[in-house]
Amino acid sequence: MLGIDLNSTRVKSALKKMFKEGATLDKLKISLDEIEALKQYGLKVESFTGTDFYYINTTSDANFIHKSDKSKIVITEKWLEISDLWVGSMFFDEASLRYMLKEATENKFYDVYIAGNLTFGHPRFLNNSININQELKTSFEQAKFLAGIFSDYPKLKYYAIHGSRDKSFENHGELNPLLFISKELSENGIDFTYIDSYTLNILINGGIKRMTSLEKNKNTYTKSYPIDLYTRNQLSNIGRNMIKDNTNYKMRCLQIGNVLFDSYDYRAKMYITTSSGFVFDTEGAMQSATSIPSATFCIVDYQDTKILRFNSTVVRMPRSLKRN
């Protein structure tokens, strides 16, 4: 692994210290060559000027992608929305994910937007120790497995943010699995864009499509509540726009991950979508009920920053369900 053993106790200890607050090389017990090797994975290892005190910068300053400016010409965009794959879990439904990626390829929905939680997370995250597939318990193993799936659909362009499960590895001295996925796919010539954030803003025809991984509220009483809560917070914090480089852009679409159910709504002149992810519990082992795995296929017509048509279709893999 680029001249560094990421599984060694020494390196994991150094990573935990750098994620937490940083330390000198003497206390980290790693070399400058190993620091450089970590950077090759996309890790933002930095030091204070004139010192050997190293830390990992976890702030995100790049959560904006410029796809197209506004145009009077009608522009049609097609994309696939997915989230919550939970690779590494006994509940991950690989067959459904492959079905969706195959459908996207055959129907030319080449842009795939992934709203977090691609992996199940570290074994000590929440109740993972009970349910995690022990053969895929490390960040690298979960990432390697998912990268293999994405590699089978090379025509697609993947855009991903992380969720709390993906991020959980950092507390235990492991790299975020999306760093591994990004590196492997890019080396294989597959278009995979990872934004080191819980939020991504995509400028399409002068308007913003926002993708975010929502932190669930533990006191949720209805399925609609998480979307209502997040939307109200978004509108109260930033209104119905975002400012980038002194330019004011209106938010047109909002894709939310980590809710594990399907929805499609329109409010405050924004189209809001969620999908149930690829968590399929056939044994009733999870604490909360989940929907049958699904993805959302969107066809959107834009003109002059406005949306003329937003066609959102929830798709599920055909399957037979048996009653117990």
Side-chain angles (χ1 to χ4, degrees):
M1 293 185 183
L2 296 179
I4 186 170
D5 182 4
L6 295 175
N7 294 317
S8 76
T9 301
R10 178 179 57 84
V11 172
K12 285 186 176 182
S13 175
L15 282 168
K16 281 192 284 187
K17 289 176 182 176
M18 286 193 291
F19 274 121
K20 187 176 181 180
E21 56 188 9
T24 62
L25 285 177
D26 182 56
K27 290 185 177 180
L28 291 174
K29 294 182 173 58
I30 59 175
S31 67
L32 284 175
D33 286 342
E34 288 174 315
I35 292 285
E36 290 303 314
L38 290 173
K39 291 181 179 180
Q40 294 298 310
Y41 285 100
L43 205 60
K44 294 183 288 186
V45 183
E46 299 178 4
S47 63
F48 292 118
T49 304
T51 73
D52 70 342
F53 187 97
Y54 288 86
Y55 65 97
I56 294 173
N57 186 348
T58 58
T59 61
S60 176
D61 56 1
N63 65 346
F64 183 85
I65 293 177
H66 188 142
K67 290 198 70 175
S68 59
D69 293 311
K70 70 175 182 178
S71 172
K72 292 183 179 180
I73 300 174
V74 177
I75 298 174
T76 299
E77 291 277 341
K78 297 170 65 174
W79 65 70
L80 169 65
E81 296 182 352
I82 61 177
S83 67
D84 304 287
L85 281 59
W86 287 26
V87 169
S89 164
M90 61 187 290
F91 305 123
F92 166 52
D93 190 353
E94 180 181 352
S96 282
L97 176 60
R98 287 187 174 277
Y99 177 85
M100 301 305 171
L101 298 179
K102 183 173 181 290
E103 286 288 300
T105 300
E106 292 179 350
N107 292 284
K108 299 182 179 179
F109 286 78
Y110 293 132
D111 289 338
V112 181
Y113 295 112
I114 314 172
N117 288 339
L118 286 74
T119 60
F120 194 42
H122 191 274
R124 291 167 60 184
F125 178 71
L126 297 179
N127 63 343
N128 279 9
S129 58
I130 300 174
N131 299 321
I132 199 162
N133 180 338
Q134 292 299 318
E135 292 181 358
L136 297 173
K137 64 181 180 179
T138 70
S139 172
F140 178 76
E141 289 166 338
Q142 293 181 32
K144 185 75 173 177
F145 189 87
L146 183 53
I149 295 175
F150 287 161
S151 295
D152 290 338
Y153 307 90
K155 290 184 179 181
L156 302 179
K157 296 181 179 180
Y158 304 94
Y159 300 86
I161 56 175
H162 56 232
S164 54
R165 291 181 176 276
D166 307 310
K167 199 74 171 169
S168 68
F169 288 99
E170 295 177 0
N171 294 327
H172 305 280
E174 294 188 51
L175 300 190
N176 189 314
L178 274 71
L179 295 175
F180 289 124
I181 295 172
S182 180
K183 189 173 188 310
E184 176 162 338
L185 292 183
S186 64
E187 289 175 349
N188 293 332
I190 296 174
D191 198 330
F192 181 90
T193 300
Y194 164 48
I195 301 299
D196 185 13
S197 175
Y198 291 97
T199 300
L200 170 60
N201 300 291
I202 306 106
L203 182 67
I204 304 175
N205 194 42
I208 295 295
K209 168 183 166 57
R210 169 165 290 186
M211 179 169 65
T212 188
S213 181
L214 175 67
E215 286 303 301
K216 277 189 174 179
N217 188 300
K218 293 182 179 180
N219 297 319
T220 297
Y221 293 103
T222 65
K223 285 187 173 181
S224 63
Y225 179 71
I227 298 176
D228 293 341
L229 175 64
Y230 183 81
T231 305
R232 284 199 301 271
N233 287 341
Q234 286 291 298
L235 297 182
S236 63
N237 291 336
I238 65 171
R240 280 170 273 181
N241 60 14
M242 73 164 289
I243 297 175
K244 174 70 175 176
D245 297 330
N246 296 319
T247 303
N248 195 340
Y249 300 106
K250 291 186 178 180
M251 285 179 56
R252 297 302 189 189
C253 313
L254 177 61
Q255 174 191 351
I256 301 174
N258 197 29
V259 291
L260 297 179
F261 61 82
D262 301 311
S263 69
Y264 174 39
D265 199 1
Y266 179 73
R267 66 183 65 195
K269 297 184 179 180
M270 283 194 303
Y271 292 89
I272 307 169
T273 52
T274 70
S275 55
S276 63
F278 296 89
V279 183
F280 192 42
D281 178 14
T282 59
E283 302 181 17
M286 296 185 65
Q287 293 180 351
S288 58
T290 58
S291 303
I292 297 172
S294 70
T296 305
F297 288 80
C298 298
I299 303 176
V300 187
D301 292 336
Y302 291 89
Q303 185 181 39
D304 277 337
T305 79
K306 297 180 181 179
I307 291 179
L308 305 180
R309 173 181 66 139
F310 192 101
N311 186 337
S312 174
T313 304
V314 174
V315 177
R316 293 186 174 88
M317 182 184 74
R319 70 195 328 152
S320 297
L321 299 177
K322 296 181 180 179
R323 284 187 177 180
N324 293 328

